[in-house]
Amino acid sequence: IRGVLIAELESDSRLARQGFRRGDVITGINRQPVQNLAEFTEEVESTRGAFVIQILRNGESYLARID
């Protein structure tokens, strides 16, 4: 599996408020696959406003909109 593993998450962070958990793997953003933290960061920084993150949790794939 390629992506960005959420190893730590601040309880008051934007992702935690959206329901992300430690152990989730971010596999895409705005329907673009991400394979590492650098790609994820680049996509987030180039996106204005809301974006959609694809995550893998316990073998299931989910989409989450981040405002």
Side-chain angles (χ1 to χ4, degrees), residues 1-64:
I1 299 171
R2 295 187 184 249
V4 178
L5 173 67
I6 300 176
E8 294 184 27
L9 196 61
E10 303 265 341
S11 61
D12 62 342
S13 71
R14 193 172 175 187
L15 292 181
R17 289 192 306 269
Q18 293 292 118
F20 286 73
R21 302 179 194 161
R22 196 174 84 209
D24 287 347
V25 178
I26 298 171
T27 58
I29 181 169
N30 293 332
R31 308 236 182 241
Q32 297 297 315
V34 293
Q35 297 184 19
N36 54 53
L37 184 57
E39 288 181 3
F40 174 75
T41 302
E42 182 179 324
E43 286 292 328
V44 169
E45 289 177 350
S46 69
T47 302
R48 293 182 178 229
F51 51 91
V52 176
I53 293 180
Q54 182 174 357
I55 65 166
L56 188 63
R57 176 185 294 155
N58 299 324
E60 299 282 331
S61 185
Y62 299 91
L63 294 175

